[in-house]
Amino acid sequence: MSTILLCGVDLFFRGKLEALLPEHHFITVDHTDTPELVIADISRIDAQEVADTYPDVPILGYTNHTDTSGLRAAHAAGFDQVLAKSAFVERVGEIVAELLPS
């Protein structure tokens, strides 16, 4: 079981992630556990701030496909993977497996 930090992820989408990735433990920023992966809703966070706060943790970001400035900001901040939300939902299992330490 890996610990995944959710940044800016709303409650509805958190429930979806918990259903898609039941083998992982999800936390929010007010938690003291050290995450092994960060998942961020790019439209609701400052991409550079998240990247600066978690420099040694893989970061997976998603946003609406029309949020091109958010997608660019996440790429510029150094996120490990940046996807449109629809692609994120389709591929989240395989991407999380790729980004988590083995």
Side-chain angles (χ1 to χ4, degrees):
M1 178 186 305
S2 297
T3 301
I4 299 175
L5 172 68
L6 302 177
C7 293
V9 176
D10 66 50
L11 223 47
F12 173 76
F13 202 67
R14 179 185 177 138
K16 186 176 253 189
L17 287 173
E18 288 173 341
L20 290 168
L21 303 167
E23 66 278 11
H24 299 289
H25 172 64
F26 293 94
I27 60 172
T28 55
V29 290
D30 58 350
H31 209 281
T32 58
D33 288 349
T34 303
E36 295 165 86
L37 175 69
V38 174
I39 295 178
D41 181 341
I42 297 165
S43 68
R44 300 178 72 181
I45 53 98
D46 178 315
Q48 191 61 57
E49 182 180 329
V50 171
D52 290 346
T53 304
Y54 302 98
D56 299 324
V57 178
I59 303 173
L60 170 57
Y62 69 89
T63 190
N64 187 302
H65 70 279
T66 60
D67 183 11
T68 54
S69 63
L71 292 166
R72 281 194 303 271
H75 278 292
F79 280 30
D80 295 274
Q81 285 279 337
V82 180
L83 297 147
K85 193 172 186 178
S86 57
F88 174 84
V89 170
E90 289 176 11
R91 300 185 48 220
V92 69
E94 76 180 72
I95 294 169
V96 167
E98 288 172 13
L99 292 176
L100 283 171
S102 34

